[in-house]
Amino acid sequence: MDKTLAIGCPDLLKYCAITRENTQPQTLAGLFNNLRCNDDRMALDTLTKDQVEMEQFTYSGLVALLAQAIADQAPELLEGATIADPMRGALADVGQKQSLVQRVMERHGPGLLLSVGQYLDTSAETPALTVMRRSATPRVLAEKFMRLERYYHSSHNTWIETHSSAFLCARTSRDCPATAGENCLIAGLLLGLVMAIGAQECRLEIGGKSFRPHDLRDATFAPETETARCHITWTALNGPSDQGPPTLPGAGDARLSDRLAALFETDLGRSWKSSDAARLLALSERSMQRRLAGESQSYSRVLRRARMKAATIYLVETETSLAEIGYCCGYADQAHFQRDFLRTANVTPRQFRLVNRDAEGVV
C-alpha cells in the first residue's frame, strides 16, 4: 500500500476495507493517488464553487418543509412550482423560497408560515434538521441554528439570546431586510424545533401578539407590523439534558480518549467546547487535557477523529450532499470541512466519495 496514503488516512482506509470487502488495497491506494495529484487545485476550485453556490441558494430542507405546510393548507399555491428534493442536495434556489413565501403572504397571510415548524414530526427526515432536533438543550439548539445560517452564507441571520425558559430572537441582514413573510417562516421553524427537543407549553410572541402552537394558522398582522424580533417561551423541558455526565460505553475501564470520542458521537452536529466536554465527563479542563496528553492524545485530535469517522460514513453509505455533511459533523463552514478532510485523508471529500464508488467495481 502507498506509504504516504497509509500515513495520511489510516482510519479512512481501514473503513474502506471494511465497507469494500472485495477491493484490493493496492488498487484502492492507486485510485487515491490518481486523484491526489491535482488535489490542491481541485480543492481550491471546489471551495470557491461551493461558497459562490451557497451565497445564491438556501437550505433545501427548509423549502421542502414549507412546501409540505403549503400542500396541507393551500395546495393550489404549489401549482407550477418545482420543489428541490432535500435528499438529493442541500441547496435550493433562494428565489423559489422567496416566491413561495410571497404567494403565501399575499393569499393567506402569516399564519401558514408561522405554523411550518408544526410539520417537523411528519416531514421527511433531512440530516441538518435531524441534527438540530437531537439537541440536548435549547442553548445547543440555538448554536446549531445560528451556525446553519452562517454555514450557508445566508444574507439574513438570526441572533438568538438563550435564557432558562426563553429565546429572544432578532433577525439581521447584510443587504436589504428580510420580508415579514421570511421572518415569520424562521420564527415558526424555531418554535417547532424548540418543541421537538421537549419544550412544554410553548408560546410565540411576534408582531405584538402572543400565540400558542394551535393558534398559529389563524394568525394575522396589520400591514407594516414589525416581525424582525420574536420571543419563544416555554415552562419546562422533557427532552434530553446537558446537566449531567451521559452514560458512555465502558466508562469505567475505557481510556479517556475513547470516552471523549464516544461523548462527541452522541451529538457530532454540536460545536463542542472543551469546557462542556470536561464537565460532562466530570473532570476539570486541565485534568482532561493532562490525562489526554498521558495517552498521547489531545482534545482537538480526538474531535477531528470523531468528525472524520462520521464524515466517511456519510460519504460512503449515504447520498447526503457534501455541504450538509460538513454541517452535520459540526464544522463552522464548508471550507473548514474541506481543509480538515484534505489534511487527514490527502483527498477531498468529493474525491473520497468518487473513489469509493469506483472501488465497488474493482476486484
Side-chain angles (χ1 to χ4, degrees), residues 202-254:
C202 295
R203 297 185 74 98
L204 171 63
E205 298 176 18
I206 187 172
K209 297 183 178 182
S210 179
F211 302 96
R212 293 185 177 90
H214 61 265
D215 297 328
L216 291 170
R217 291 193 182 193
D218 299 323
T220 58
F221 297 133
E224 308 303 322
T225 296
E226 171 62 54
T227 58
R229 295 180 181 275
C230 72
H231 295 176
I232 298 172
T233 60
W234 57 89
T235 59
L237 285 169
N238 288 343
S241 173
D242 200 19
Q243 299 305 310
T247 302
L248 301 176
D253 302 320

Side-chain angles (χ1 to χ4, degrees), residues 1-34:
M1 184 179 294
D2 178 82
K3 187 175 181 180
T4 304
L5 180 63
I7 292 174
C9 52
D11 291 338
L12 304 192
L13 285 179
K14 180 180 179 182
Y15 183 79
C16 290
I18 294 172
T19 57
R20 302 285 183 255
E21 295 179 356
N22 295 325
T23 301
Q24 295 179 4
Q26 297 89 342
T27 307
L28 183 59
L31 289 170
F32 271 108
N33 289 331
N34 289 338

Side-chain angles (χ1 to χ4, degrees), residues 64-83:
L65 189 65
L66 171 59
Q68 182 174 350
I70 294 174
D72 180 51
Q73 299 183 46
E76 70 279 3
L77 297 185
L78 292 177
E79 292 181 6
T82 302
I83 307 301

Side-chain angles (χ1 to χ4, degrees), residues 314-356:
Y314 274 117
L315 288 166
V316 174
E317 297 185 356
T318 77
E319 295 298 320
T320 304
S321 70
L322 301 181
E324 201 160 10
I325 290 173
Y327 171 79
C328 292
C329 291
Y331 285 96
D333 53 56
Q334 178 72 349
H336 189 185
F337 171 51
Q338 296 268 9
R339 286 194 301 268
D340 224 15
F341 199 95
L342 180 60
R343 177 172 60 177
T344 303
N346 283 336
V347 291
T348 65
R350 194 184 307 276
Q351 293 164 345
F352 183 83
R353 174 172 274 173
L354 177 61
V355 163
N356 278 273

